[in-house]
Amino acid sequence: MTNVADARYAVFEKLDRAYIGGEWVPVAGHERLPVIDPASGEQVAEIVGGTASDVDRAALAARAAFPGFAATPVADRIALLERIHALILERAEPLARTLTLEMGATISHARAAHVPLAAAHVQAAIDVLRDYDFLTMRGTTAIVREPIGVCALITPWNWPLYQITAKVAPALAAGCTVILKPSELSPLSALMFAQIMHDAGAPAGVFNLVNGTGPEVGTALAAHPDIDMISITGSNRAGVLVAQAAAPTVKRVTQELGGKSPNILLPDADFDRVVPLGVMAAFRNVGQSCSAPTRMIVPRDRLAEVEAIARRTVEAIVIGDPGEDATVLGPIANRAQFQRVQAMIAAGIEEGAVLVCGGPGQPDGLERGFFTRPTIFSNVATGMRVAQEEIFGPVLVIIPYDDVDEAVAIANDTIFGLGGHVHGKDIDRARDVARRIRTGQVHLNNPAWDPHAPFGGYKRSGNGREYGAFGFEEYLEVKAILGFA
Ligand code: NAD
C-alpha cells in the first residue's frame, strides 16, 4: 500500500511542473491558479498554468515517441496498461482523498466509484486490445487499423480521474501518444496519475501532461499543427471553441459535452422503488454528471405520489463533510458552479415551478464552502429553463405527462442527447420507449454500469463515443489496402 501522506506530499512538490518527455519539468508560464477545497472554500494549493510553449514541447515529445510506440507489440501495451491498472488500485486511497480535497467527492463515493471505475476503464482497454483484429479482409482488400497519432485529451473537474482514464487508456491501447490537459480546477489527481504513468514505465514522450487553463493550454492544443486528434469532455461552450480552433488543421475532434437526461417512469413501474432510485441517480456526485437523469417524467395522475416519495428520499440524505464516511452529499465542486446552480434554482422559482424541497441558499449548519440544498421542482413545463438547461448540481425537475407518446416527446424535447432512463414492468413497452429516445445511452430498469457500453451524445451532447471497443476505435485510422490478397 502506498502511504497516503507520502503520495500527497509528492503531488504538492509538482504544482509548478509539467510532465513532458518522461520528466517533470518546470512550466514556462507564471499564471498561478488556485485549487480550492469546496467543503471549506479555502485554497489548499496553487498550480502554475502552462503556456503554448509548454504545449509545443509536449507535442514535440509526443511526436518523437509516436513511431516507436505505434509499432510496439500488443503484448507490450497490454503489460503497460496492466501496470497502470495495478498502480491505480494500489494508490486508491490517496487518489480518493485527493479527489475529496480538490472537488468535494464524498470519500465513500470516491472510494466506491471515482477510483474503481477509473481503473475499470483501463481494464476495459486491456480487454478490447487483447481481442482486437487490426487487420481484417474483405475479399482481396485488407482493412488495416492504425493509431491516429498524437492525441490531446482535455478533461473536466466533475469526474477527474475517471475522465482521464476513459481517454488515456484507449489512446495508449491503440498505440497513440498523448498530451493530457486536466481541468485547472482539479489538477491534483491528474498529477498523481502522471506519476502513475511514470512509475508504470510509460516510454518517454508517450504520456505528457500540461496543466493550465482552457483558453491558454486548451486552445494551443486544439490549434496545434502537430496534433492529430483532440478529445474534450466538458461544457458545450468549450466543446464548440475546441472544434473551431481545431478546424484549420483538420484534426479529428471528439466531444463529450452536456446533457439533460430524461428518466421516464411508465405507469406500471414500481414507484416506491424507482422514484428513490431516480432521485439518487440525479443527485449522484452532487448532480455533477453529464448523463445525470435530471428530468423525471411521470404520469400526471401520479404526481402527488411521486412528489411525496421524492421528498422522503431527500430528507434521508446525509449532507455534510465529504471526508466523513457516512456523508452522501458533499459540496458543489467549485464556486462558479455553485453560483450557476443558485441562479438556476432562482430561475425555477421565478418561472413558477413547484418547489417540493430545497431551494436557494445553503443547508442549515453548512454555510461554508459550496454546499447546496438538494432541490426538487415539480409540475415543471418542458419549456422552462430548469427543464432545458444543464444545471449540473443537485436539482431535479419532475415533468408530468398524459400518455406515453407525450412522455417520449418530452424526453426528446431538448438540444441534448446523452443519457436516458426508462422504468416499467411491461418490458416490451419499456424497450419500445427506450428505442424512441434520441440519446447515446438508455438505461432500462436500472441496470449495472457497463464499461464496455459505448457512451456519447446525439445532438449537442457531442460527437464520437467513449468506453470499450467504440471508444478505442476513435483513436484509430482506417486504411484499405486493395489487392492485398
Ligand atoms: P469547461 O468546459 O469550461 O471545462 C472543461 C475542460 O475544458 C477544462 O479542462 C477546461 O480547462 C477546458 N476548456 C475550457 N475552455 C476551453 C477552450 N476554450 N479550449 C479548450 N479547452 C477549454 O467546464 P466548466 O466551466 O468547468 O463547467 C461548466 C459547465 O460545463 C457545467 O455547468 C456543465 O454544464 C458542463 N460540464 C460538463 C461536463 C461533462 O462531463 N459533460 C463536465 C464538466 C462541466
Side-chain angles (χ1 to χ4, degrees):
M1 273 294 287
T2 304
N3 180 294
V4 172
D6 286 353
R8 281 236 174 125
Y9 179 72
V11 162
F12 281 85
E13 279 196 321
K14 299 184 183 103
L15 300 173
D16 60 352
R17 306 277 146 145
Y19 184 75
I20 295 175
E23 289 176 58
W24 288 101
V25 296
V27 297
H30 299 288
E31 189 182 4
R32 296 190 165 271
L33 305 168
V35 182
I36 308 288
D37 170 6
S40 66
E42 282 164 20
Q43 182 171 323
V44 290
E46 197 176 57
I47 58 162
V48 178
T51 64
S53 76
D54 295 309
V55 170
D56 284 340
R57 282 195 291 165
L60 208 60
R63 176 60 58 199
F66 176 65
F69 191 64
T72 48
V74 162
D76 289 8
R77 300 210 293 280
I78 289 177
L80 172 62
L81 289 163
E82 283 175 341
R83 292 193 296 274
I84 297 165
H85 184 259
L87 284 170
I88 292 174
L89 295 183
E90 187 187 311
R91 297 176 194 178
E93 185 59 17
L95 283 166
R97 293 209 207 173
T98 300
L99 290 162
T100 300
L101 182 71
E102 72 183 358
M103 56 71 69
T106 60
I107 189 65
S108 54
H109 187 53
R111 285 178 185 142
H114 280 262
V115 177
L117 300 188
H121 284 310
V122 182
Q123 186 60 50
I126 293 168
D127 296 344
V128 170
L129 182 55
R130 198 166 265 139
D131 294 333
Y132 199 77
D133 242 340
F134 286 89
L135 189 154
T136 52
M137 294 300 297
R138 190 190 150 83
T140 57
T141 299
I143 298 173
V144 185
R145 263 88 176 177
E146 298 179 338
I148 189 168
V150 175
C151 301
L153 311 173
I154 300 184
T155 55
W157 45 261
N158 57 330
W159 285 84
L161 186 65
Y162 172 102
Q163 307 280 14
I164 287 172
T165 58
K167 295 187 194 299
V168 172
L172 297 188
C176 295
T177 58
V178 306
I179 306 163
L180 170 67
K181 191 209 86 65
S183 170
E184 60 275 33
L185 303 174
S186 58
L188 304 181
S189 56
L191 290 168
M192 291 179 73
F193 180 78
Q195 187 62 44
I196 285 175
M197 294 300 300
H198 184 84
D199 295 344
V206 166
F207 170 88
N208 306 274
L209 172 139
V210 180
N211 267 319
T213 65
E216 179 82 33
V217 176
T219 305
L221 289 168
H224 205 284
D226 216 15
I227 292 176
D228 302 291
M229 165 172 167
I230 187 154
S231 171
I232 176 166
T233 296
S235 61
N236 277 68
R237 180 194 59 79
V240 169
L241 289 170
V242 162
Q244 286 172 334
T249 51
V250 199
K251 53 173 62 75
R252 183 176 297 171
V253 178
T254 65
Q255 302 147 308
E256 203 272 271
L257 309 175
K260 191 77 185 174
S261 299
N263 179 7
I264 297 182
L265 308 192
L266 292 167
D268 63 348
D270 174 359
F271 281 34
D272 284 329
R273 202 175 82 81
V274 301
V275 174
L277 280 175
V279 170
M280 296 315 289
F283 291 173
R284 190 164 183 248
N285 208 40
V286 202
Q288 301 163 123
S289 298
C290 36
S291 61
T294 50
R295 293 184 297 143
M296 189 181 278
I297 301 170
V298 310
R300 189 179 297 280
D301 59 359
R302 308 283 292 278
L303 203 52
E305 179 189 349
V306 169
E307 288 171 4
I309 301 171
R311 187 183 297 111
R312 279 204 302 278
T313 306
V314 170
E315 280 164 5
I317 295 176
V318 179
I319 308 173
D321 180 352
E324 295 284 336
D325 284 350
T327 303
V328 173
L329 204 77
I332 298 254
N334 55 70
R335 186 182 303 281
Q337 193 58 31
F338 172 78
Q339 287 166 346
R340 170 162 173 74
V341 172
Q342 290 295 325
M344 288 305 294
I345 292 173
I349 292 170
E350 207 167 287
E351 287 175 302
V354 174
L355 194 59
V356 175
C357 58
Q362 297 192 282
D364 289 343
L366 291 169
E367 287 89 6
R368 307 167 69 215
F370 311 131
F371 291 96
T372 301
R373 299 168 72 196
T375 296
I376 298 182
F377 287 114
S378 186
N379 208 15
V380 169
T382 181
M384 290 181 183
R385 282 185 65 200
V386 284
Q388 289 294 326
E389 295 181 28
E390 185 175 50
I391 300 176
F392 229 61
V395 182
L396 172 70
V397 302
I398 302 175
I399 308 175
Y401 68 82
D402 289 312
D403 59 42
V404 172
D405 285 344
E406 190 191 4
V408 172
I410 292 168
N412 289 331
D413 181 18
T414 166
I415 58 167
F416 297 113
L418 193 54
H421 293 236
V422 178
H423 290 96
K425 283 212 183 75
D426 176 346
I427 191 67
D428 287 334
R429 180 168 66 171
R431 283 186 187 134
D432 177 58
V433 170
R435 294 185 70 145
R436 292 166 67 194
I437 298 180
R438 305 262 311 149
T439 60
Q441 269 198 357
V442 183
H443 291 217
L444 210 46
N445 289 327
N446 199 41
W449 182 72
D450 177 1
H452 287 275
F455 182 78
Y458 282 33
K459 304 194 242 175
R460 293 201 201 166
S461 285
N463 282 301
R465 291 293 178 270
E466 297 201 285
Y467 307 175
F470 285 83
F472 173 76
E473 287 184 339
E474 297 287 350
Y475 296 94
L476 296 174
E477 278 286 14
V478 178
K479 176 189 286 174
I481 309 180
L482 289 78
F484 191 84

